[in-house]
Amino acid sequence: MWLGPEEVLLAGALWVTERANPFFLLQRRRGHGPARPGVRLLVGTLDVVLDSSARVAPYRILHQTQDSQVYWAVACGSSRKEITKHWEWLENNLLQTLSIFDNEEDITTFVKGKIHGIIAEENKNEQPQSEEDPGKFKEAELKMRKQFGMPEVEKLVNYYSCSYWKGRVPRQGWLYLTVNHLCFYSFLLGKEVTLVIQWVDVTQLEKNATLLFPECIKVSTRDSELYFSMFLNINETFKLMEQLANIAMRQLLDNESFLQDKSLPKPRRPLKNISALKRDLDARAKNECYRATFRLPKDECLDGHTDCTLWTPFNKMHIPGQMFVSNNYICFASRAEEACHLIIPLREVTIVEKADSSSVLPSPLSISTKSKMTFFFANLKDRDFLVQRISDFLQRTPSKKPSEEGGSLSSDIFSSFVQEVPELPSSSPLAISPTSALGHRPISFCAGQVPTASQGLLKLFRRNSEELSGPKGAKEKMKEESWNIHFFEYGRGMCMYRTAKTRELVQKGIPENLRGELWLLFSGAWNEMVTHPGYYADLVEKSMGRYNLATEEIERDLHRSMPEHPAFQNELGIAALRRVLTAYAFRNPTIGYCQAMNIVTSVLLLYCNEEEAFWLLVALCERMLPDYYNTRVVGALVDQGIFEELTREYLPQLSEKMQDLGVISTISLSWFLTLFLSVMPFESAVVIVDCFFYEGIKFILQVSLAILDANMEKLLQCCDEGEAMTILGRYLDNVVNRQSVSPPIPHLHALLTSGDEPPLEIDIFELIKTSYEKFSNLKADDIEQMRFKQRLKVIQSLEDTAKKSVVRAVSGDIGFSMEELEELYVVFKAKYLMSCYWGNNRAAAARRDQSLPYLEQYRIDMEQFKELFISLTPWSCGAHTPVLAGRLFRLLDENRDSLINFKEFVTGMSGMYHGDLTEKLKVLYKLHLPPALNPEETESALEATSYFTEDVTTEGNATLLPLPLKEKGTSPQDYRYYLRMWAKEKESKKETIKDLPKMSQEQFIELCKTLYNMFSEDPVEQELYHAIATVASLLLRIGEVGKKFSNRPTRKSEDCKANSTQDPVSEEESPTSEQSQNSAVEQTPQADHEDKASIDAQPEKTQPENQTLGDGSGEGQGSPLQLLSDDETKDDMSMSSYSMVSTGSLQCEDIADDTVLVGCEGSSAAARYGSTIDTDWSISFEQILASMLTETALVNYFEKKVNILQKIKDQKKVERQFSSSSDYELSSVSG
């Protein structure tokens, strides 16, 4: 390729000049092409260690002038062909022009300008993405693709110099991190190391330092542990590796493939050697941290951040920290943790102005909001630029209508909690309940009968309680007054200053009247609600009357959701719960509905109206508890792993005991999924929820540790899991909230007693206080780091479970061993994953449905199947192999969706690897019948299709092995469908050779062509060609004999019904009835001969029998088949590499160059080229089988054992080399 001219000081070092003229040199790198081994090793080592571009481009062209000692590199090439093309262009287009110049400086300037012009012209056609990447990085990406055989769609993110420890010896080389792979290459004095690991195979990433491996990164897979060290910046490398592994896990979890964000802001100054992809990933990491810190919506993107100070009026101080600016928010976080957090939505901003600078307050900025609050920032480094960015974002912020401007969470709105924000009209769809999915019975609720829950259900169903006027009521009013004072000092609504004082108030319990408001604020749900007005109402309207598996599960659980509370003992509460859960199931079909969501949502509805409860549920499921509520509860399992790790760290004495008992995995899921609501009295658990919405999962973990710590002595004395669960259950049952003003709700958790001792009550606020005192040093950042580590373990564990489940499900019907099935599953899954990120068609990612059983989740299309078939099949047919693969795919694809699952795949492979000669021949036979044989593959497609249509539909089992029967009209997500499918698999009858339809002459010709190609690469191909020629000749004669016998009764029946109108495929003419007629007529004259041939298996006996059979057939003069004498047959059989077919059986384009036509007379050229297929000719599977058994070579070929594990290993080794050699010419060859 052409290079931007670069100065070269030592033109002769390690380079050999091959061509020269007065202005240019063509050079080859030493060690490439003819060279001594020692030189090759030395140069190769230097190129790798020093990252020389010669490793990828061993040829170059230099520009020089006679009197100058400076050379300029203008082109390089990976092959002699490429560099010669550039050399010839220079000679043809520049030499004459350059000879005119007198001044050498003008010559060099002209050459540089010309080369830059060529490069600019070439770059016009390139994507703008590649233009952003610096030249050095493009060169590294080219090296990576050549070295590891990666296609262009595999993008390099970054590369690092490091050492790979192989044993105790470090190998210096280069680590390439791509979107989907970790690659390493080293070449030191002839020792070459090449590693390629998919991120989806990584089970653990660790950064540690030991005596043996100083400051290294450990990468673990299922099979090996790899150590890399001597990084220039190990923290940056490790962080990037974590990101890429996390993206891969996300792909396994919910099938989200990596899509690059091309709308990133361009850097204000060029970044050397940093790719656009690396910038994208860095921006993603910052965005995720920003959104998690301030609980912002998932689509919020950070624009930038800067150091500054914030004036805090409540303590009259300037607090140092950082300001963050994004599309819709301005946020502030103090350097001292919990000193102050601030979130200012741009929709609330009215004025942004620059105040006058002073020595006390340099570069101040004032921001005013609609709620009459003003915020002063100072010490801003680039205030003018910041104000411009904020101004740009404000212009894009949609202006609110006057009726919506008051929709902020201000005191006047929430002074009366009954009012709804924003209030929906009485005709809203929310006033109508969706159709009940249970039993398909529509339940209509008009607005007057069952109103929408426009306020918290606790308000509507609060029983008259004396507690409100007693000491508890006074305590509740004191709490409310404390919060009102806090609102006065720190502000109210989204723009409130959040400090340590706020957390203290939350720990003491939020007053019931303020609970809904503060949950919305602290969770960030309020932001999403006000920016999506009417969204919930639309969802409810769309989901009304809709039925799916999620709605069925919702209906089943509605009456199990807090049945002890009066709010859910009537239709108002039940209908509200139904609407919220159904709306969310339609918003997020990936999750749909998961058990425990009903319990959490019912509590949300007690304190919020329906719309608010819906957005709280969104915040809970999608941001605060990610991946908790899906079919595999991955998020809960991840946090369970964190809990186990924290138990080892903080309670080491108890940890080992809990592991032995297996208690943690039991308790943590019920605690985490329902936020203690299902295991603790309601009045106490709701205080846990208060703190959770403020602190996040960190608080749930520290309370869980406090509960274990409080019961440590009893737990250490436990003998089994049941006893430990009883102790913890009794403890949680007796956690009480003595300050609750609501009447106690009966707790339906296990009421456990122990003897006559009264249970010891534990105050919930004391428990919370203890958890902060002992375990408050947990950090949110540390938990996120631990989540990544545990996510790798959990998802890989789930993938292993899925593999075992699939292998166990298919192992009963397949001939492969468990080990072979596991290896095949790994190969099959890898092929599917490659299609997700390398395939041109991104629809591959949409094929995986997490709601399906494991067996159905990974499916591949025909192109992927062909690639696997070519590398794994024992029947290698050369150029004909893809054709055979396509036929097998069509045979396996019963439901005609152009995709096959793993069971169908191994069914096809097993048919070729396992079973006796008969079973393997059955597979081969079916591959040449519809539906495997495409009509286009034969000359007379119409006749072949019509001939076999009746037979295929009536027989219904022309498949390789009994496969799942697909029932139309059944939802693919219905589990009952799969139960019926599996039941039918068990009942399916075994197919016999009598059930196979007959083969026409066209199909027989295709079978002969397949066999001819199949034997072309076999060590005993000469014997096989002898054998197949003999069998083909015999079968052609048998077909002709059968035609004579079968045509006689058919013609009589046709004469009798000549005047009657009948369907073309009548009962008499159908292949099924014809087969029954033929079996009586054909098998009489020929079965005896075939049986003798199969028993004796001697060619000497076969020949006379064939001759006798032919003589008795009464062959007519006009027949295309001319029978041979014994001598003629023997002569033809001696031609080793020739196959034999009938002259009248195929046209010229079907005939291979070395095919001998039996019965081809020299004078009948017209017959050879103009003949047509004989549609009355047919042959049965029994006849083919019997003929094959006469040839020992054929029997041995089909009965020989092939080790598929070795095939899989070979396929893994050469897979990438094929792709690399197809894209690049190897330098050793080109040299």
Side-chain angles (χ1 to χ4, degrees):
M1 64 178 181
W2 297 105
L3 302 174
E6 297 176 358
E7 189 173 331
V8 177
L9 296 177
L10 297 173
L14 300 178
W15 291 88
V16 178
T17 301
E18 294 198 337
R19 294 192 192 180
N21 60 41
F23 302 105
F24 297 100
L25 298 174
L26 190 156
Q27 295 187 326
R28 172 178 54 82
R29 184 72 162 177
R30 292 183 187 273
H32 291 270
R36 288 178 296 174
V39 175
R40 191 188 297 267
L41 291 178
L42 177 62
V43 175
T45 301
L46 288 173
D47 285 346
V48 170
V49 175
L50 300 178
D51 193 29
S52 166
S53 60
R55 183 154 55 90
V56 71
Y59 296 90
R60 70 180 183 184
I61 297 176
L62 302 180
H63 165 64
Q64 64 154 6
T65 52
Q66 291 182 354
D67 299 331
S68 174
Q69 297 299 317
V70 179
Y71 296 84
W72 299 87
V74 295
C76 67
S78 60
S79 66
R80 189 182 296 277
K81 181 179 178 182
E82 180 185 358
I83 205 69
T84 303
K85 181 180 175 183
H86 290 331
W87 178 264
E88 290 174 351
W89 188 92
L90 291 171
E91 284 190 329
N92 296 334
N93 294 279
L94 287 189
L95 278 187
Q96 271 191 327
T97 308
L98 294 179
S99 60
I100 300 172
F101 287 92
D102 296 329
N103 190 341
E104 291 186 353
E105 290 183 6
D106 294 341
I107 293 175
T108 301
T109 304
F110 179 80
V111 169
K112 285 183 181 179
K114 197 69 178 175
I115 299 301
H116 280 302
I118 295 171
I119 293 172
E121 192 66 30
E122 286 179 348
N123 285 345
K124 279 184 181 178
N125 301 323
E126 291 187 4
Q127 297 178 354
Q129 160 61 29
S130 61
E131 290 178 7
E132 294 181 9
D133 295 335
K136 184 75 173 172
F137 188 85
K138 288 184 189 176
E139 187 181 290
E141 191 167 42
L142 190 60
K143 291 178 191 175
M144 180 273 297
R145 289 197 185 127
K146 180 188 175 185
Q147 190 62 55
F148 304 103
M150 300 288 180
E152 286 194 13
V153 292
E154 181 70 1
K155 298 294 184 184
L156 178 65
V157 181
N158 214 347
Y159 61 103
Y160 303 93
S161 173
C162 70
S163 290
Y164 162 61
W165 291 80
K166 193 169 184 180
R168 293 177 178 269
V169 180
R171 302 293 177 88
Q172 184 66 27
W174 290 86
L175 182 72
Y176 297 90
L177 304 181
T178 73
V179 173
N180 302 296
H181 295 84
L182 178 151
C183 307
F184 177 82
Y185 180 76
S186 171
F187 183 87
L188 287 176
L189 300 176
K191 301 283 187 179
E192 187 176 42
V193 177
T194 303
L195 295 174
V196 179
I197 299 168
Q198 292 189 57
W199 289 118
V200 292
D201 293 333
V202 173
T203 57
Q204 191 175 6
L205 276 177
E206 283 184 302
K207 183 179 64 173
N208 51 29
T210 63
L211 291 175
L212 184 60
F213 304 117
E215 202 177 34
C216 69
I217 294 175
K218 175 185 171 186
V219 181
S220 302
T221 65
R222 290 178 178 83
D223 306 322
S224 59
E225 293 181 351
L226 311 174
Y227 293 88
F228 301 93
S229 67
M230 298 174 70
F231 290 94
L232 192 62
N233 190 339
I234 192 169
N235 291 327
E236 178 194 330
T237 309
F238 185 71
K239 186 177 177 182
L240 180 57
M241 291 168 81
E242 278 190 328
Q243 264 189 292
L244 294 169
N246 211 17
I247 290 171
M249 293 305 105
R250 178 60 53 187
Q251 186 178 353
L252 284 177
L253 179 61
D254 54 19
N255 224 29
E256 286 184 5
S257 57
F258 177 78
L259 294 175
Q260 186 177 351
D261 182 6
K262 297 189 177 179
S263 61
L264 286 175
K266 291 192 175 182
R268 298 175 68 184
R269 60 181 185 276
L271 300 173
K272 187 178 180 183
N273 295 341
I274 296 181
S275 67
L277 206 54
K278 177 69 166 60
R279 287 179 49 227
D280 180 9
L281 286 169
D282 290 344
R284 282 172 190 246
K286 290 178 181 177
N287 286 336
E288 288 170 7
C289 182
Y290 170 62
R291 289 191 293 260
T293 303
F294 299 103
R295 307 271 172 83
L296 299 178
K298 292 179 74 174
D299 56 353
E300 195 65 22
C301 293
L302 178 65
D303 186 71
H305 57 89
T306 182
D307 292 335
C308 67
T309 57
L310 171 67
W311 170 254
T312 50
F314 50 86
N315 60 1
K316 306 293 189 294
M317 289 178 62
H318 290 281
I319 298 180
Q322 280 192 320
M323 175 194 282
F324 301 85
V325 180
S326 60
N327 302 359
N328 301 293
Y329 299 89
I330 299 171
C331 301
F332 175 85
S334 59
R335 285 181 189 163
E337 190 179 3
E338 295 183 358
C340 182
H341 271 211
L342 180 65
I343 302 169
I344 308 173
L346 291 181
R347 63 179 181 270
E348 298 290 328
V349 173
T350 54
I351 301 172
V352 178
E353 57 182 351
K354 294 181 282 187
D356 295 334
S357 293
S358 66
S359 57
V360 180
L361 210 62
S363 303
L365 181 68
S366 168
I367 299 176
S368 302
T369 65
K370 295 173 184 176
S371 55
K372 311 302 181 188
M373 293 182 73
T374 303
F375 304 93
F376 290 100
F377 298 91
N379 293 288
L380 294 161
K381 292 180 180 177
D382 198 345
R383 185 177 61 168
D384 294 339
F385 176 76
L386 179 64
V387 170
Q388 183 60 47
R389 293 301 293 167
I390 295 174
S391 176
D392 293 342
F393 289 135
L394 281 171
Q395 289 177 1
R396 298 177 206 165
T397 304
S399 58
K400 296 285 181 183
K401 297 177 183 177
S403 61
E404 294 179 358
E405 284 183 2
S408 63
L409 283 169
S410 55
S411 57
D412 58 333
I413 290 296
F414 274 89
S415 59
S416 174
F417 192 75
V418 178
Q419 186 171 352
E420 188 177 352
V421 185
E423 188 171 358
L424 294 171
S426 60
S427 60
S428 167
L430 293 176
I432 304 171
S433 171
T435 302
S436 171
L438 191 61
H440 303 276
R441 289 181 289 104
I443 303 174
S444 59
F445 300 113
C446 63
Q449 184 181 353
V450 181
T452 303
S454 57
Q455 57 183 337
L457 293 174
L458 204 61
K459 287 274 188 182
L460 301 175
F461 292 93
R462 174 175 286 169
R463 288 171 284 184
N464 293 329
S465 175
E466 298 178 358
E467 304 288 350
L468 291 174
S469 56
K472 291 185 179 179
K475 183 78 172 175
E476 184 76 1
K477 287 180 180 177
M478 288 175 61
K479 282 187 185 178
E480 288 186 26
E481 188 60 29
S482 298
W483 276 98
N484 287 330
I485 294 170
H486 185 272
F487 291 150
F488 179 77
E489 292 183 3
Y490 295 86
R492 187 169 189 173
M494 189 54 66
C495 300
M496 174 174 63
Y497 293 98
R498 303 173 195 211
T499 65
K501 176 69 173 175
T502 314
R503 193 184 73 176
E504 288 174 15
L505 285 175
V506 172
Q507 288 174 28
K508 294 175 182 177
I510 298 175
E512 289 192 352
N513 286 342
L514 297 176
R515 192 161 266 147
E517 170 189 354
L518 293 175
W519 282 0
L520 285 166
L521 281 180
F522 296 148
S523 66
W526 174 252
N527 286 321
E528 292 185 279
M529 188 173 77
V530 296
T531 52
H532 295 84
Y535 177 85
Y536 173 69
D538 292 341
L539 265 183
V540 171
E541 189 174 15
K542 289 174 184 175
S543 62
M544 268 196 291
R546 301 283 292 277
Y547 170 78
N548 59 21
L549 190 59
T551 56
E552 184 180 343
E553 292 176 350
I554 289 169
E555 287 296 328
R556 190 174 63 238
D557 287 349
L558 282 178
H559 295 277
R560 304 176 189 172
S561 309
M562 293 190 69
E564 65 274 16
H565 199 285
F568 297 99
Q569 293 169 357
N570 67 83
E571 196 53 48
L572 172 61
I574 295 294
L577 184 59
R578 176 188 294 117
R579 283 192 290 269
V580 174
L581 290 174
T582 305
Y584 186 78
F586 277 84
R587 166 188 164 88
N588 192 342
T590 305
I591 292 177
Y593 170 77
C594 177
Q595 283 189 340
M597 286 172 68
N598 60 320
I599 296 173
V600 175
T601 308
S602 59
V603 174
L604 299 179
L605 281 167
L606 290 175
Y607 297 98
C608 308
N609 66 41
E610 279 185 35
E611 186 177 16
E612 293 164 350
F614 170 79
W615 286 111
L616 276 170
L617 185 62
V618 169
L620 203 68
C621 295
E622 297 176 13
R623 288 189 285 107
M624 299 190 73
L625 297 176
D627 306 319
Y628 260 61
Y629 301 102
N630 56 28
T631 52
R632 299 192 281 180
V633 291
V634 173
L637 292 173
V638 168
D639 286 347
Q640 173 187 306
I642 294 175
F643 184 43
E644 290 180 5
E645 196 172 331
L646 292 174
T647 306
R648 281 193 297 273
E649 182 180 346
Y650 289 98
L651 307 170
Q653 189 178 359
L654 183 61
S655 173
E656 190 174 343
K657 181 73 173 180
M658 298 293 279
Q659 289 292 333
D660 293 340
L661 297 176
V663 174
I664 288 185
S665 59
T666 308
I667 60 175
S668 56
L669 283 181
S670 59
W671 294 2
F672 296 168
L673 277 171
T674 63
L675 304 176
F676 288 94
L677 289 166
S678 65
V679 295
M680 201 180 273
F682 170 74
E683 300 83 6
S684 305
V686 78
V687 181
I688 299 280
V689 177
D690 290 343
C691 297
F692 166 75
F693 276 124
Y694 188 80
E695 296 272 18
I697 191 63
K698 163 183 175 290
F699 176 76
I700 300 294
L701 290 168
Q702 74 182 35
V703 166
S704 301
L705 289 170
I707 292 170
L708 291 185
D709 184 55
N711 292 277
M712 183 183 293
E713 290 184 7
K714 294 180 181 178
L715 289 172
L716 287 172
Q717 296 171 6
C718 289
C719 300
D720 56 29
E721 181 186 359
E723 188 179 351
M725 293 298 296
T726 303
I727 290 170
L728 291 171
R730 288 188 72 246
Y731 180 86
L732 291 170
D733 276 337
N734 292 290
V735 176
V736 296
N737 180 2
R738 298 188 180 94
Q739 300 177 11
S740 175
V741 293
S742 297
I745 298 170
H747 180 43
L748 296 187
H749 188 247
L751 297 173
L752 304 165
T753 58
S754 175
D756 299 329
E757 295 180 11
L760 180 66
E761 291 187 343
I762 302 96
D763 186 73
I764 180 65
F765 298 105
E766 286 298 321
L767 177 62
I768 291 173
K769 182 181 177 183
T770 303
S771 74
Y772 274 102
E773 287 174 351
K774 292 189 175 182
F775 308 106
S776 61
N777 54 349
L778 286 178
K779 305 296 180 193
D781 293 342
D782 295 339
I783 291 173
E784 284 304 314
Q785 184 70 25
M786 293 165 76
R787 269 182 169 174
F788 162 75
K789 182 179 174 182
Q790 293 296 332
R791 193 178 293 120
L792 281 180
K793 288 183 182 177
V794 168
I795 294 180
Q796 295 294 9
S797 174
L798 289 172
E799 289 296 310
D800 290 341
T801 303
K803 178 173 72 173
K804 290 175 183 175
S805 300
V806 171
V807 167
R808 203 162 40 241
V810 303
S811 59
D813 304 328
I814 306 296
F816 290 116
S817 67
M818 298 291 278
E819 182 188 2
E820 290 170 337
L821 283 172
E822 287 185 359
E823 288 296 323
L824 282 170
Y825 181 84
V826 170
V827 171
F828 185 86
K829 177 180 157 187
K831 185 60 66 176
Y832 163 81
L833 291 173
M834 279 188 183
S835 72
C836 291
Y837 46 74
W838 281 1
N840 294 327
N841 185 7
R842 288 285 173 180
R847 298 178 199 156
R848 189 183 180 203
D849 186 350
Q850 296 279 359
S851 63
L852 293 175
Y854 289 135
L855 190 59
E856 293 281 339
Q857 285 189 12
Y858 294 117
R859 294 180 292 169
I860 59 175
D861 59 19
M862 183 179 286
E863 290 305 313
Q864 296 165 278
F865 177 78
K866 283 182 179 179
E867 293 172 15
L868 286 176
F869 182 90
I870 290 169
S871 59
L872 298 178
T873 180
W875 297 343
S876 180
C877 298
H880 192 64
T881 307
V883 177
L884 205 62
R887 292 175 187 169
L888 182 56
F889 183 88
R890 286 189 290 273
L891 182 64
L892 297 171
D893 182 23
E894 278 200 323
N895 60 355
R896 301 290 175 266
D897 63 351
S898 300
L899 296 170
I900 63 171
N901 62 28
F902 178 68
K903 179 168 186 179
E904 293 164 336
F905 168 72
V906 293
T907 300
M909 288 289 115
S910 179
M912 294 182 290
Y913 275 93
H914 297 285
D916 54 12
L917 170 68
T918 306
E919 293 299 319
K920 291 179 180 177
L921 282 180
K922 273 171 65 177
V923 175
L924 198 59
Y925 186 82
K926 289 176 187 177
L927 292 181
H928 298 83
L929 297 175
L933 190 71
N934 236 353
E936 291 80 7
E937 291 181 314
T938 58
E939 288 295 325
S940 303
L942 186 59
E943 291 86 342
T945 307
S946 63
Y947 185 84
F948 280 93
T949 301
E950 179 73 18
D951 187 72
V952 171
T953 54
T954 55
E955 294 293 334
N957 49 14
T959 56
L960 194 58
L961 280 176
L963 291 175
L965 300 172
K966 308 291 182 185
E967 292 190 8
K968 293 182 179 178
T970 308
S971 169
Q973 297 181 350
D974 189 353
Y975 62 92
R976 291 172 296 188
Y977 158 68
Y978 293 100
L979 291 176
R980 290 195 295 269
M981 181 180 75
W982 291 329
K984 288 187 178 183
E985 284 181 15
K986 300 296 182 185
E987 296 171 1
S988 57
K989 63 178 183 178
K990 187 169 178 64
E991 186 181 55
T992 66
I993 59 176
K994 296 286 185 185
D995 299 326
L996 295 171
K998 288 195 171 186
M999 182 175 278
S1000 71
Q1001 199 172 47
E1002 295 168 296
Q1003 293 155 355
F1004 177 69
I1005 293 165
E1006 290 295 327
L1007 176 61
C1008 290
K1009 287 167 66 176
T1010 299
L1011 289 168
Y1012 173 81
N1013 287 287
M1014 192 183 293
F1015 304 147
S1016 62
E1017 300 176 6
D1018 198 272
V1020 292
E1021 62 176 335
Q1022 304 301 323
E1023 296 176 33
L1024 290 168
Y1025 283 135
H1026 272 294
I1028 197 58
T1030 305
V1031 170
S1033 176
L1034 173 61
L1035 288 171
L1036 284 166
R1037 296 178 190 187
I1038 291 173
E1040 292 294 334
V1041 174
K1043 182 180 71 172
K1044 290 296 180 182
F1045 279 93
S1046 61
N1047 279 349
R1048 289 171 188 168
T1050 307
R1051 283 173 186 157
K1052 288 180 183 178
S1053 65
E1054 286 174 355
D1055 293 339
C1056 295
K1057 300 185 179 182
N1059 298 325
S1060 63
T1061 59
Q1062 197 169 348
D1063 189 76
V1065 186
S1066 64
E1067 189 174 348
E1068 289 81 359
E1069 296 171 335
S1070 71
T1072 308
S1073 58
E1074 186 178 7
Q1075 182 176 348
S1076 62
Q1077 292 173 7
N1078 292 350
S1079 61
V1081 180
E1082 289 178 6
Q1083 290 179 11
T1084 303
Q1086 70 191 31
D1088 294 337
H1089 299 296
E1090 289 173 359
D1091 289 342
K1092 288 179 185 178
S1094 63
I1095 294 168
D1096 299 334
Q1098 297 294 333
E1100 291 81 0
K1101 293 186 180 181
T1102 307
Q1103 295 297 339
E1105 287 168 4
N1106 292 346
Q1107 187 61 43
T1108 306
L1109 187 63
D1111 293 340
S1113 66
E1115 188 69 12
Q1117 185 179 358
S1119 170
L1121 180 66
Q1122 305 295 327
L1123 296 180
L1124 301 175
S1125 66
D1126 291 352
D1127 296 336
E1128 289 172 326
T1129 304
K1130 288 176 183 175
D1131 291 342
D1132 285 330
M1133 292 309 106
S1134 65
M1135 299 178 182
S1136 61
S1137 60
Y1138 288 73
S1139 61
M1140 301 184 66
V1141 291
S1142 165
T1143 312
S1145 65
L1146 73 170
Q1147 299 188 16
C1148 57
E1149 57 265 32
D1150 290 325
I1151 304 171
D1153 295 336
D1154 51 0
T1155 303
V1156 168
L1157 297 179
V1158 180
C1160 179
E1161 298 180 359
S1163 60
S1164 59
R1168 178 178 178 181
Y1169 294 103
S1171 62
T1172 58
I1173 296 296
D1174 190 345
T1175 56
D1176 294 329
W1177 189 97
S1178 66
I1179 200 84
S1180 68
F1181 175 73
E1182 295 100 314
Q1183 293 163 340
I1184 293 177
L1185 174 62
S1187 304
M1188 289 278 196
L1189 287 170
T1190 63
E1191 296 294 335
T1192 308
L1194 292 176
V1195 173
N1196 292 339
Y1197 178 84
F1198 283 103
E1199 289 193 342
K1200 69 181 177 183
K1201 300 293 183 183
V1202 181
N1203 185 359
I1204 194 168
L1205 291 177
Q1206 188 59 45
K1207 286 261 186 187
I1208 293 171
K1209 287 179 184 176
D1210 295 341
Q1211 185 249 357
K1212 289 179 179 177
K1213 285 179 184 175
V1214 302
E1215 190 173 42
R1216 299 188 199 288
Q1217 289 154 6
F1218 283 143
S1219 59
S1220 64
S1221 60
S1222 63
D1223 294 334
Y1224 304 100
E1225 182 182 351
L1226 297 177
S1227 57
S1228 60
V1229 176
S1230 61

